[in-house]
C-alpha cells in the first residue's frame, strides 16, 4: 500500500487537477439540468462526468506506469498509461453518443427554455474553470517541450507542441480544449434560446459538442494504440543518431532503435569503432555515450554494443529522415 501511495505522488498532475475540477463542474451542471431541463446543460453534464471519470483513470495509470521494472516485466510498466488512455476514450465515446442523441432529439422536439440565469451562470463558471485547467495543461506541455513563452503561450503555442506532451497531459489538454469550446457553444445556445426563442439551438450545440468529443476519441485512440503496441520515436531516433554520428570515435552505426514505453524511451545502439582500440578505451567510449544518450529527454535506459569497423558505411546522415536543426537539437536536450 505504501508503494502504491508513493507511485500516486508521481502521477500526472494536470490529469488529477482536471479530474477534481471536472467532478465539481459535472455536479454543478447536473444540478442545473435537474432544475431547468436545459438540454445544453445535459450535454455539458455528460461531457464533464465523462472527462472526470477518465481523468481519474489516467492519473492512476500515469502513476502506475512509473513502477520500476521487475524480473517478470523487465521493460517496466510504461505502456500502462497508453492502455488506460485507451480505456478512457471508450468512456468519452459513450458520453459523446449520448450527447449527440439527446441533442438530435432536441433539434426536432425543442422544449421551452427555462431557468435562463441558472443555466447561464453555471455554464459561465464551468467554462472559466475548464479554461483554467486548459491553461495549466498548456503550461505543462510547454515544460515538456522545453519552451518558455509569454502569458498566452499555454493556449496558443501548446497546440503546435502537442507532439512533445506526455500521453496523459495531451489527453487532458485536448479534452479541456473541447470542454472550453463546448461551454462557449452552450452559452451561445442558451442566450439564443432566451433572446430569440430559438430553442433548437441548444440541440445543435449538444450535437456539436458530441462531435468534438468523438474527434478527441479518434485522435487519442490512434495515438495510444500505437503507444500500447510499441512505437518508434522517429524524432528522438534521428536526434540520437545525429549525436552519435558526430562522435569522433564512432566510425559507423549498424543500429539505432528508440522505442516508446508510455512516457519513457528505451534506446538500443550498435556502433562500429576502430578495432585497434584497447578494452579500456572502448569502456571509456561506452561510458561517455551512455551519459550522452541518458541525458536526452525521457530516455529511461540505454543499451550500447560495439562491433569492429568493417569499412562499409551503412548509416548515412541523409538517410535519417529528419535532419535536425540547431533549434530542434536545443529543444531535445
Amino acid at each position: 500500500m505504501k508503494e502504491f501511495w508513493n507511485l500516486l505522488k508521481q502521477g500526472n498532475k494536470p490529469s488529477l487537477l482536471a479530474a477534481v475540477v471536472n467532478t465539481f463542474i459535472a455536479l454543478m451542471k447536473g444540478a442545473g439540468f435537474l432544475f431547468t431541463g436545459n438540454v445544453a446543460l445535459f450535454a455539458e453534464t455528460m461531457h464533464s462526468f465523462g472527462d472526470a471519470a477518465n481523468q481519474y483513470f489516467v492519473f492512476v495509470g500515469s502513476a502506475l506506469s512509473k513502477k520500476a521494472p521487475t524480473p517478470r516485466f523487465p521493460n517496466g510498466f510504461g505502456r500502462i498509461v497508453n492502455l488506460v488512455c485507451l480505456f478512457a476514450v471508450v468512456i468519452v465515446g459513450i458520453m459523446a453518443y449520448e450527447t449527440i442523441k439527446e441533442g438530435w432529439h432536441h433539434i426536432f422536439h425543442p422544449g421551452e427554455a427555462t431557468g435562463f440565469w441558472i443555466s447561464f451562470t453555471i455554464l459561465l463558471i464551468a467554462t472559466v474553470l475548464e479554461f483554467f485547467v486548459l491553461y495549466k495543461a498548456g503550461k505543462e506541455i510547454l515544460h515538456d517541450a522545453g519552451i518558455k513563452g509569454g502569458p498566452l503561450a499555454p493556449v496558443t503555442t501548446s497546440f503546435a507542441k502537442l507532439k512533445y506532451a506526455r500521453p496523459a497531459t495531451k489527453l487532458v489538454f485536448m479534452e479541456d480544449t473541447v470542454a472550453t469550446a463546448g461551454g462557449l457553444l452552450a452559452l451561445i445556445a442558451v442566450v439564443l434560446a432566451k433572446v430569440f426563442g430559438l430553442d433548437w439551438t441548444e440541440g445543435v450545440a449538444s450535437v456539436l459538442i458530441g462531435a468534438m468529443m468523438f474527434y478527441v476519441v479518434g485522435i487519442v485512440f490512434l495515438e495510444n494504440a500505437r503507444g500500447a503496441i510499441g512505437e518508434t520515436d522517429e524524432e528522438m531516433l534521428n536526434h540520437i543518431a545525429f549525436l552519435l554520428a558526430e562522435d569522433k570515435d564512432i566510425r559507423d552505426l549498424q543500429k539505432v532503435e528508440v522505442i516508446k514505453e508510455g512516457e519513457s524511451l528505451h534506446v538500443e545502439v550498435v556502433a562500429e569503432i576502430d578495432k585497434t582500440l584497447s578494452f579500456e578505451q572502448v569502456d571509456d567510449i561506452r561510458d561517455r555515450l551512455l551519459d550522452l544518450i541518458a541525458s536526452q529527454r525521457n530516455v529511461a535506459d540505454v543499451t550500447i554494443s560495439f562491433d569492429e569497423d568493417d569499412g562499409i558505411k551503412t548509416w548515412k546522415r541523409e538517410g535519417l529522415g529528419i535532419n535536425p536543426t540547431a533549434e530542434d537539437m536545443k529543444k531535445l536536450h
Side-chain angles (χ1 to χ4, degrees):
M1 183 60 72
K2 183 178 180 181
E3 181 186 7
F4 178 72
W5 286 111
N6 287 334
L7 286 172
L8 283 184
K9 293 177 183 178
Q10 302 177 56
N12 184 266
K13 298 303 187 294
S15 60
L16 178 61
L17 173 65
V20 172
V21 171
N22 274 301
T23 299
F24 172 74
I25 290 173
L27 292 172
M28 184 173 60
K29 290 175 179 176
F33 170 68
L34 291 176
F35 277 108
T36 66
N38 186 298
V39 73
L41 266 180
F42 171 79
E44 282 294 291
T45 300
M46 297 294 283
H47 187 183
S48 294
F49 269 126
D51 283 355
N54 65 47
Q55 283 157 359
Y56 279 121
F57 281 122
V58 169
F59 170 70
V60 174
S62 68
L64 294 178
S65 71
K66 303 295 193 305
K67 182 176 171 62
T70 64
R72 187 176 179 184
F73 301 99
N75 289 330
F77 299 84
R79 296 186 192 185
I80 285 180
V81 69
N82 297 115
L83 295 173
V84 170
C85 285
L86 285 174
F87 179 74
V89 296
V90 172
I91 298 176
V92 180
I94 294 171
M95 297 298 182
Y97 168 75
E98 291 296 331
T99 300
I100 291 175
K101 186 176 75 171
E102 186 67 23
W104 188 260
H105 174 78
H106 192 79
I107 291 173
F108 296 100
H109 305 283
E112 184 179 353
T114 58
F116 169 75
W117 286 111
I118 294 176
S119 300
F120 183 86
T121 303
I122 289 174
L123 286 171
L124 181 61
I125 294 172
T127 303
V128 171
L129 290 174
E130 295 282 14
F131 181 78
F132 169 73
V133 175
L134 173 66
Y135 189 87
K136 296 290 285 186
K139 288 183 70 174
E140 192 75 15
I141 290 172
L142 294 182
H143 178 267
D144 291 343
I147 295 173
K148 292 182 179 180
L152 294 178
V155 290
T156 53
T157 309
S158 293
F159 286 96
K161 304 300 177 183
L162 268 176
K163 62 182 179 180
Y164 297 107
R166 289 170 286 175
T169 305
K170 184 181 296 186
L171 176 63
V172 171
F173 185 81
M174 293 185 69
E175 283 185 341
D176 277 281
T177 297
V178 171
T180 303
L184 291 174
L185 279 175
L187 275 170
I188 293 170
V190 166
V191 171
L192 290 175
K194 174 66 176 178
V195 176
F196 300 103
L198 303 175
D199 297 316
W200 54 269
T201 57
E202 294 178 2
V204 172
S206 182
V207 170
L208 291 175
I209 291 167
M212 289 190 294
M213 290 166 70
F214 266 127
Y215 174 76
V216 171
V217 167
I219 296 296
V220 174
F221 179 85
L222 289 175
E223 283 208 5
N224 285 281
R226 292 195 297 267
I229 295 169
E231 181 184 18
T232 296
D233 188 321
E234 293 285 352
E235 186 169 1
M236 186 60 82
L237 184 153
N238 294 333
H239 172 63
I240 290 173
F242 180 88
L243 293 177
L244 293 174
E246 291 292 296
D247 189 277
K248 61 183 177 60
D249 291 309
I250 300 299
R251 299 293 179 85
D252 196 10
L253 296 171
Q254 290 184 8
K255 177 183 180 181
V256 179
E257 189 175 84
V258 181
I259 302 297
K260 290 181 181 179
E261 290 277 354
E263 298 171 7
S264 303
L265 300 176
H266 300 276
V267 181
E268 183 179 352
V269 175
V270 179
E272 292 183 5
I273 56 177
D274 189 339
K275 61 183 179 181
T276 63
L277 294 173
S278 67
F279 180 84
E280 184 180 358
Q281 289 173 312
V282 172
D283 190 54
D284 289 341
I285 294 170
R286 181 179 180 276
D287 289 343
R288 186 180 72 247
L289 296 181
L290 278 174
D291 290 340
L292 174 65
I293 298 173
S295 68
Q296 306 306 306
R297 180 173 54 89
N298 294 336
V299 172
D301 62 75
V302 185
T303 302
I304 299 179
S305 303
F306 292 113
D307 198 356
E308 65 180 49
D309 183 15
D310 59 9
I312 302 173
K313 199 72 172 175
T314 58
W315 194 281
K316 298 178 181 178
R317 188 181 304 175
E318 58 267 27
L320 296 180
I322 300 173
N323 193 9
T325 64
E327 183 181 356
D328 290 334
M329 298 275 289
K330 186 184 299 182
K331 291 173 185 174
L332 285 167
H333 277 281

